């Protein structure tokens, strides 16, 4: 390890750290969104986002329809956070006659269910936070033929669990039910395969695994999605959307544009982070996230901590660890930030004060994680815990 690493240790599961290249990208001088210069940015963004989504490659050249590939999937950039992109999918695809099945095991899945309730009927199956879905139950529910789609949060950032998407995909395929994923903290950090999973739509947020800026997101949609959306629009030409009209966005994306003035400088910043993603390589990035997460999990287990998520499906982009002593856990977290410039995030809703979460996404490197874990151990000792002496670095080799 680089024992000289003395900077900030940033393990927030989004927004992740922006590199100097991304900061420079954000500082691009003003340009108009109808200029060839900006169209070149959009084309590159489309082409590189296809790598994040593990879709067939296209080009990054202007005027070549970089957004749509041989696999039939199209990507669209959304000026808004991940929630806006998810709403774009749900609002354009569903209406009051649709029934969407939403199994959840954390806050962001619950948000998918809430969002769907605004546009469609929802069957919400609530599993305990951090516990796997019962796939037999999901299979049985879908076998009734009463559901028009299954929507999930793929990587549940609130509880540190990744859903078994390949198995869920087999079930949705068996029943001919469209599969929709909030991939906001999986795309770019974990293997996500929309085409293999026959997913109709997947969403990503800029500030998570792709280490881009916050306030920008993207969707990948299949031909089936587009067809179903078009049919719906014929029967209901005035759905409750305007800004997030995906039909308009797809049309403009084909010309390397957006319908409205986009977040121009977030686009230039995101392109810079996607260049870094492509320099590293998708498989290499997935492998680094997995190596970091495995090290964090094994280290904290050996230190005597308990992990929150079920052991079979622990996420490689965020690990939820139970505080040994909830009464001072959040105080420890604040101390780590203030005194050791080491940043992790706490729990949400009913697990607030009970867990802390360590992000292993974006550009976090091994040396930073080794140093950060050493500091966290020091912090726990400062709060009076007796912890074994472990060779932290060996967990990340
Ligand atoms: C899995 C997941 N879905 C959705 C969101 C919401 O995304 P945003 O805050 O970008 O709207 C988050 C944010 O942390 C998330 O982790």
């Amino acid at each position: 390890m680089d024992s000289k690493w003395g900077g900030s240790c940033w393990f927030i599961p989004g927004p992740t750290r922006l590199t100097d290249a991304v900061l420079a990208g954000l500082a691009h001088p003003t340009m108009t969104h109808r200029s060839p210069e900006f169209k070149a940015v959009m084309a590159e963004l489309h082409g590189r986002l296809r790598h994040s989504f593990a879709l067939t490659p296209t080009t990054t050249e202007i005027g070549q329809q970089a957004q749509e590939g041989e696999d039939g999937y199209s990507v669209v950039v959304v000026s808004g956070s991940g929630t806006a992109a998810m709403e774009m999918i749900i609002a354009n695809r569903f209406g009051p006659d649709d029934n969407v099945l939403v199994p959840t095991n954390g806050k962001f899945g619950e948000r998918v269910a809430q969002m769907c309730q605004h546009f469609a009927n929802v069957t919400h199956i609530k599993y305990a936070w951090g516990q796997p879905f019962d796939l037999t139950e999901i299979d049985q529910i879908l076998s009734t033929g009463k559901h028009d789609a299954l929507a999930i949060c793929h990587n549940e950032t609130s509880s540190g669990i990744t859903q078994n998407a390949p198995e869920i995909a087999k079930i949705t395929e068996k029943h001919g039910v469209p599969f929709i994923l909030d991939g906001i903290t999986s795309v770019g950090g974990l293997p996500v395969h929309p085409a293999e999973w026959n997913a109709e739509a997947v969403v990503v947020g800029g500030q998570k695994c792709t280490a881009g800026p916050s306030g920008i997101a993207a969707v990948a949609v299949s031909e089936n999605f587009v067809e179903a959306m078009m049919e719906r629009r014929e029967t209901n030409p005035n759905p409750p959307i305007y800004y997030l009209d995906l039909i308009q966005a797809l049309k403009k994306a084909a010309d390397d544009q957006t319908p409205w003035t986009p977040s121009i400088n977030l686009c230039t910043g995101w392109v810079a982070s996607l260049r870094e993603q492509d320099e590293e390589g998708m498989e290499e990035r997935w492998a680094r996230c997995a190596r970091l997460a495995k090290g964090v999990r094994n280290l904290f287990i050996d230190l005597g901590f308990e992990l929150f998520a079920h052991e079979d499906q622990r996420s490689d982009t965020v690990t939820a660890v139970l505080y040994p002593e909830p009464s001072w856990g959040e105080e420890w977290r604040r101390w780590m930030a203030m005194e050791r410039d080491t940043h992790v995030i706490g729990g949400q809703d009913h697990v607030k004060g009970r867990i802390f979460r360590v992000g292993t996404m974006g550009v976090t490197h091994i040396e930073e994680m080794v140093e950060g874990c050493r500091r966290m151990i020091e912090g726990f000792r400062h709060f009076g815990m007796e912890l074994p002496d472990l060779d932290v670095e060996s967990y990340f080799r």
Side-chain angles (χ1 to χ4, degrees):
M1 104 143 223
D2 174 11
S3 57
K4 293 191 199 74
W5 175 262
S8 169
C9 291
W10 187 264
F11 308 134
I12 303 294
T16 54
R17 174 185 295 108
L18 301 178
T19 64
D20 289 345
V22 179
L23 293 173
L26 287 166
H28 195 286
T30 307
M31 60 178 139
T32 86
H33 55 295
R34 303 295 177 217
S35 63
E37 193 186 6
F38 183 70
K39 286 187 181 187
V41 173
M42 283 306 289
E44 186 174 348
L45 202 43
H46 288 147
R48 293 190 188 278
L49 277 169
R50 294 188 64 84
H51 303 162
S52 319
F53 280 108
L55 297 171
T56 48
T58 53
T59 171
T60 52
E61 297 299 313
I62 184 171
Q64 304 292 316
Q65 305 236 336
Q67 88 291 347
E68 188 176 358
E70 274 172 13
D71 53 14
Y73 282 84
S74 297
V75 295
V76 162
V77 176
V78 185
S79 286
S81 75
T83 307
M86 199 62 197
E87 185 159 338
M88 185 185 234
I89 292 299
I90 305 297
N92 282 277
R93 178 67 178 80
F94 301 115
D97 296 337
D98 291 309
N99 284 306
V100 184
L101 179 64
V102 188
T104 67
N105 49 14
K107 185 172 180 76
F108 293 104
E110 289 173 9
R111 220 180 255 182
V112 171
Q114 278 167 11
M115 188 184 286
C116 288
Q117 272 157 7
H118 282 258
F119 303 97
N121 293 305
V122 173
T123 308
H124 183 182
I125 333 174
K126 269 189 171 190
Y127 297 104
W129 282 33
Q131 293 305 304
F133 298 161
D134 179 345
L135 299 191
T136 309
E137 185 178 22
I138 291 177
D139 189 12
Q140 276 165 359
I141 295 175
L142 289 184
S143 72
T144 61
K146 289 184 183 157
H147 294 89
D148 302 289
L150 177 88
I152 62 165
C153 171
H154 179 214
N155 187 66
E156 190 38 271
T157 325
S158 65
S159 58
I161 188 165
T162 304
Q163 320 306 346
N164 188 345
E167 287 305 313
I168 296 172
K170 283 185 198 156
I171 298 170
T172 51
E173 194 148 12
K174 177 171 131 192
H175 298 292
V177 168
F179 185 23
I180 288 172
L181 297 97
D182 162 346
I184 288 171
T185 55
S186 57
V187 173
L190 305 178
V192 174
H193 298 288
E196 262 173 47
W197 301 344
N198 201 17
E200 269 207 0
V202 185
V203 170
V204 66
Q207 80 277 26
K208 305 287 188 179
C209 303
T210 61
S214 31
I216 191 161
V219 301
V221 289
S222 71
E223 284 168 328
N224 287 349
F225 181 101
V226 175
E227 217 173 282
M229 171 176 70
M230 294 296 203
E231 269 175 31
R232 167 159 299 288
R233 197 63 66 87
E234 272 169 28
T235 52
N236 178 14
N238 292 310
I241 39 166
Y242 190 83
Y243 185 78
L244 293 176
D245 187 339
L246 185 49
I247 296 177
Q248 295 301 323
L250 281 164
K251 266 191 214 153
K252 283 293 190 183
D255 187 30
D256 305 317
Q257 296 192 62
T258 53
W260 331 114
T261 311
S263 316
I264 294 172
N265 285 57
L266 298 187
C267 293
T268 52
W270 205 7
V271 161
S273 73
L274 295 176
R275 283 181 194 157
E276 292 184 326
Q277 161 201 276
D278 289 341
E279 265 164 39
E280 182 175 13
M282 283 321 304
E283 308 244 331
E284 289 74 10
R285 184 163 281 206
W286 297 340
R288 177 171 49 78
C289 292
R291 184 169 154 204
L292 287 168
K294 187 173 171 210
V296 170
R297 290 194 293 264
N298 289 342
L299 175 66
F300 277 95
I301 287 170
D302 286 356
L303 285 167
F305 289 69
E306 266 183 67
L307 304 187
F308 184 68
H310 191 281
E311 64 181 333
D312 294 344
Q313 285 181 217
R314 287 177 182 150
S315 167
D316 279 344
T317 59
V318 56
T319 299
V321 186
L322 283 150
Y323 281 125
E325 188 38 79
S327 65
W328 51 255
E330 286 295 279
E331 212 183 314
W332 166 84
R333 197 168 64 79
R334 280 189 291 275
W335 188 88
M336 290 305 307
M338 301 288 290
E339 303 296 331
R340 291 296 178 270
D341 202 3
T342 297
H343 306 265
V344 293
I345 200 97
Q348 296 162 289
D349 291 359
H350 63 282
V351 293
K352 199 177 168 98
R354 284 182 53 212
I355 62 170
F356 64 98
R357 293 172 293 148
V358 184
T360 48
M361 60 177 75
V363 290
T364 302
H365 51 89
I366 302 290
E367 291 75 18
E368 178 183 359
M369 187 54 83
V370 170
E371 174 63 18
C373 287
R374 286 190 177 136
R375 293 185 198 171
M376 285 190 255
I377 292 170
E378 183 198 348
F380 281 119
R381 288 192 175 126
H382 175 81
F383 277 76
M385 279 186 81
E386 283 186 22
L387 295 174
D389 272 321
L390 297 175
D391 175 5
V392 173
E393 194 188 347
S394 68
Y395 285 81
F396 296 93
R397 273 186 207 126

